[in-house]
Amino acid sequence: MMKETLKLEISILCSVHILAIILAIVFFMIFYMKAKKDYSLQAFLVLQVSIIGWMVFKIFKTVSPTELSRWWFIVGYYFWACVFEVAFLEFVYSSYRLKAMRKSIRYVLYIVASIQFSWVVTNPYHHLFYSTYDFWGDSFGPLFYLHTAIEYGFIIVGFIYGYKIFKERFADKKTGYKLVIAAAIIIPLILNILFITKILHRIIFGIGIPVIFDITPLVFVFSIMVFAYASFSHKMINISPIMKHEIVDKLDTPICVLDSSFEVIYINQILKEKIGAQANKSISQALEKLDIVSVSDKSIELAIEESVFIVFIKKVNAFVETQYLLTFRDISEFKHIEGKILLEQDQLARVNDELEKTIEKLKMTSKIGARNYVAREMHDIIGHSLVVCIKLLEVAKLYIKRDRELSINALNDSVLSLETGIDTMNNISLKETSYTGESLEKDMNKKLLQLTNTGINVDMKFKGVYVNIEEKTYDIINRVILELLTNVLKHSAAEQVFLSIDVKQESIKILMMDNGKGVKDLQIGNGLAGIKERVRLIGGSVEFISSVSQGFMTKLTLNNKTDVK
């Protein structure tokens, strides 16, 4: 007949362990939803499962109907106890190191745990784990104490790493706060040691309470819950007011949190500084006409007071209610630069219109020869300058949000391109009377530099630096190369351009090719026709070669004789 005291002890043990299992599951659910998904979270999952398995088998062992079933439930909960010791060390190590334990070390640890478990499984053959064993009571053998020593060895090493985490995370906390957290972690371990050494039994029996049961898994549930809360390195939003203040409020990133009704419930310090004293009101007004649900997990542009922000809205599933986390990036300065660029583009467009009107007037008022000459010059010089300018403006606009310095440099280069084109037009009649390969190489480098500034890779091979070049030939080379480079910018979509120039006393050979999209059926338009006409004037030849996806290639052979007209 079972004694009333034993019935009470079994009832209390089962109730308390079931409650601890529920708490462990709930705590892990909170931890899992809030924590960063890395290796330490996986280790914590194994740790929690081992503790829960430990307690489940302890309950089954307590209420088992036969001695044989009781024995196998004991084997079960010692299996989980062996898993627990390694999982605990893995969790604390990975939390401290922020990386997984090496596989070779893990294998050694699990081999040790397997050896410990083998002592339990094989106990009936040598009786070294339990010296005596029956349904109602038992006593332990030498391997039990060795098993316990090894298990506490794992735990002690784990708590050494835990102490290091604790020391780093709470270095700036007040002494009283640190003592409370430390006591919450250490006291359960002290209680467990008192239980193992039977001191706790004597204390409880001494005060007249006849009930005592194994508290080992219970104290570890409580201790690990406190330890994980106090020291783990994951970023959590709503775990507690302390964590919110320490992790969120001191961030350099402006942050705002909305409740399920889209009301502002939290703004960190840096966002308050950017928006001002009425930050809550200003943000609420800016969000009034916004459908928060439809833009969650997306970036939007939002004007608040005199500032403009890129706002990323993240939906956060909390236990109490759904919340929305907003992170802000101030782009006010970039918007100001963008406005300037747009203004410059408008001005350039007007200049372009004026230039086109001027060209039309010149065509109408000049003789045929002069009209054609001016048209070619304007097309080559100003057209090229404008194409380069537009490409640079596109670069400036593209990088305004990512690289402010690159954007501003591109804007400055676009203005310089226009000024260079205008200066070239003004100096058409002031050319030098003597030219060499050296001066031609310098001119080519200037033109290719403009191409480089638009993001195209260029490569030039030049021979004949000290050879003299006839004035008309020199001028035609410049005009032809200018037209070819303009075509690259306008039509080719190329990423690379190669230019080869070989200057000799009687002839000049030029090869230029790009890796652009090419054309299927090459049609000779005004630009290419103009190149052919210029080359014909000095008795040269030109060949254009292109196919789809194979780029565009131009071969030029020019005379360098002064008697050619």
Side-chain angles (χ1 to χ4, degrees):
M1 189 72 178
M2 187 183 295
K3 296 179 180 180
E4 291 299 323
T5 301
L6 184 57
K7 290 181 179 179
L8 178 61
E9 184 172 319
I10 292 172
S11 176
I12 295 175
L13 183 145
C14 292
S15 300
V16 174
H17 278 69
I18 291 172
L19 178 61
I21 290 171
I22 294 172
L23 288 175
I25 293 173
V26 171
F27 176 74
F28 178 73
M29 289 173 62
I30 297 173
F31 191 95
Y32 183 83
M33 291 183 66
K34 299 293 184 178
K36 180 182 177 182
K37 306 302 184 290
D38 61 8
Y39 183 79
S40 58
L41 183 64
Q42 299 175 23
F44 186 74
L45 171 60
V46 177
L47 178 64
Q48 287 292 91
V49 170
S50 67
I51 295 176
I52 293 170
W54 189 351
M55 289 189 289
V56 168
F57 276 94
K58 183 171 284 292
I59 293 172
F60 286 151
K61 179 208 76 167
T62 304
V63 299
S64 59
T66 66
E67 185 174 329
L68 180 61
S69 62
R70 182 174 186 267
W71 165 251
W72 286 113
F73 287 132
I74 288 173
V75 170
Y77 85 67
Y78 272 109
F79 168 80
W80 287 113
C82 292
V83 174
F84 163 81
E85 63 188 27
V86 181
F88 175 75
L89 181 55
E90 275 195 278
F91 165 63
V92 185
Y93 176 90
S94 59
S95 296
Y96 175 68
R97 295 288 188 183
L98 300 179
K99 64 180 181 179
M101 185 181 288
R102 284 191 300 177
K103 287 185 178 181
S104 57
I105 297 177
R106 291 180 64 214
Y107 290 152
V108 171
L109 296 180
Y110 275 105
I111 287 172
V112 172
S114 299
I115 293 172
Q116 291 176 256
F117 180 63
S118 70
W119 297 340
V120 183
V121 175
T122 59
N123 181 78
Y125 297 104
H126 47 66
H127 300 288
L128 293 178
F129 195 83
Y130 282 99
S131 58
T132 61
Y133 175 78
D134 57 43
F135 189 79
W136 298 107
D138 44 54
S139 59
F140 296 109
L143 287 183
F144 168 79
Y145 295 104
L146 179 58
H147 162 85
T148 303
I150 294 173
E151 186 162 31
Y152 268 87
F154 276 89
I155 294 168
I156 289 170
V157 174
F159 266 87
I160 290 173
Y161 282 111
Y163 169 75
K164 291 180 180 180
I165 298 174
F166 184 88
K167 187 176 180 181
E168 290 179 4
R169 303 293 189 273
F170 294 86
D172 58 341
K173 295 295 182 183
K174 294 181 179 179
T175 303
Y177 180 82
K178 289 191 284 188
L179 289 175
V180 171
I181 297 297
I185 297 172
I186 295 172
I187 288 176
L189 299 179
I190 295 174
L191 288 175
N192 192 64
I193 293 172
L194 294 177
F195 175 81
I196 294 293
T197 58
K198 303 294 184 180
I199 296 174
L200 187 62
H201 297 66
R202 291 195 290 272
I203 294 173
I204 292 177
F205 291 152
I207 60 177
I209 300 175
V211 177
I212 185 68
F213 54 85
D214 188 356
I215 64 169
T216 302
L218 300 177
V219 295
F220 272 113
V221 168
F222 179 73
S223 180
I224 290 170
M225 285 169 60
V226 176
F227 172 79
Y229 160 72
S231 63
F232 79 99
S233 62
H234 303 78
K235 306 288 188 295
M236 298 173 72
I237 295 299
N238 276 334
I239 191 68
S240 73
I242 296 170
M243 294 298 286
K244 180 195 292 183
H245 173 76
E246 291 300 317
I247 296 178
V248 179
D249 200 54
K250 295 182 180 180
L251 285 177
D252 292 334
T253 302
I255 286 176
C256 169
V257 180
L258 309 179
D259 61 16
S260 57
S261 301
F262 313 124
E263 296 294 331
V264 177
I265 58 175
Y266 174 76
I267 297 176
N268 69 347
Q269 187 59 37
I270 190 170
L271 185 55
K272 292 178 182 177
E273 293 173 358
K274 284 183 174 293
I275 298 178
Q278 302 295 323
N280 283 51
K281 183 179 179 181
S282 299
I283 293 175
S284 297
Q285 290 175 346
L287 296 173
E288 276 181 359
K289 299 180 180 180
L290 194 64
D291 185 356
I292 302 295
V293 176
S294 66
V295 295
S296 62
D297 296 325
K298 296 179 182 177
S299 295
I300 60 170
E301 187 175 301
L302 197 64
I304 304 177
E305 299 296 337
E306 298 180 356
S307 300
V308 181
F309 297 91
I310 291 293
V311 182
F312 180 76
I313 302 175
K314 175 69 177 176
K315 184 178 180 180
V316 179
N317 293 316
F319 280 100
V320 178
E321 63 175 349
T322 298
Q323 296 179 350
Y324 296 87
L325 174 66
L326 282 63
T327 55
F328 292 73
R329 183 160 64 91
D330 192 347
I331 60 167
S332 303
E333 187 173 354
F334 295 110
K335 295 298 288 185
H336 178 66
I337 294 172
E338 184 182 33
K340 283 187 174 181
I341 291 175
L342 292 174
L343 180 61
E344 292 287 345
Q345 285 179 321
D346 290 340
Q347 292 174 348
L348 289 172
R350 287 195 294 272
V351 170
N352 189 34
D353 289 340
E354 292 175 2
L355 286 172
E356 289 181 354
K357 292 175 181 179
T358 301
I359 292 172
E360 289 298 324
K361 288 179 181 179
L362 287 172
K363 286 182 177 181
M364 296 297 295
T365 57
S366 300
K367 293 180 179 180
I368 295 176
R371 182 171 62 224
N372 291 337
Y373 173 77
V374 171
R376 285 199 299 267
E377 295 298 303
M378 294 292 285
H379 178 274
D380 290 346
I381 298 172
I382 298 302
H384 177 74
S385 297
L386 287 175
V387 169
V388 172
C389 178
I390 291 170
K391 289 292 182 181
L392 288 168
L393 287 174
E394 290 174 353
V395 171
K397 187 175 181 180
L398 178 64
Y399 284 93
I400 185 172
K401 297 180 180 178
R402 290 183 284 176
D403 192 331
R404 177 187 172 191
E405 184 177 354
L406 179 60
S407 179
I408 293 175
N409 289 339
L411 181 61
N412 292 333
D413 288 341
S414 67
V415 176
L416 181 61
S417 176
L418 275 181
E419 291 175 348
T420 302
I422 294 172
D423 290 341
T424 304
M425 285 296 300
N426 291 334
N427 295 324
I428 286 176
S429 60
L430 302 176
K431 297 177 184 177
E432 298 177 11
T433 57
S434 176
Y435 298 92
T436 64
E438 183 179 11
S439 58
L440 180 62
E441 184 182 24
K442 290 180 181 179
D443 285 348
M444 293 301 103
N445 281 326
K446 289 180 182 179
K447 290 176 172 59
L448 293 176
L449 179 61
Q450 291 182 334
L451 208 62
T452 302
N453 289 338
T454 66
I456 298 176
N457 294 323
V458 297
D459 186 18
M460 183 177 73
K461 303 297 181 184
F462 195 98
K463 291 183 180 179
V465 174
Y466 300 107
V467 178
N468 290 326
I469 301 174
E470 200 273 331
E471 178 181 350
K472 184 183 290 186
T473 303
Y474 187 95
D475 181 69
I476 287 176
I477 291 173
N478 269 288
R479 297 292 176 262
V480 167
I481 296 299
L482 200 61
E483 176 62 23
L484 292 175
L485 292 178
T486 302
N487 288 342
V488 169
L489 288 171
K490 290 172 66 177
H491 308 300
S492 73
E495 296 178 351
Q496 293 181 325
V497 171
F498 174 76
L499 176 62
S500 172
I501 301 177
D502 186 4
V503 181
K504 295 181 179 179
Q505 197 65 44
E506 293 186 356
S507 66
I508 299 172
K509 292 186 177 180
I510 298 174
L511 172 66
M512 180 173 167
M513 55 185 173
D514 63 64
N515 67 341
K517 59 187 179 181
V519 293
K520 182 177 181 181
D521 297 316
L522 181 60
Q523 301 293 326
I524 303 299
N526 292 334
L528 298 184
I531 292 176
K532 282 193 169 187
E533 177 62 19
R534 282 193 169 95
V535 171
R536 186 191 64 77
L537 291 175
I538 57 174
S541 63
V542 59
E543 182 181 6
F544 304 112
I545 303 171
S546 181
S547 59
V548 176
S549 302
Q550 297 298 317
F552 192 96
M553 181 168 65
T554 303
K555 293 182 179 180
L556 291 161
T557 301
L558 307 174
N559 286 310
N560 191 25
K561 298 177 182 178
T562 56
D563 60 343
V564 176
K565 296 183 180 179

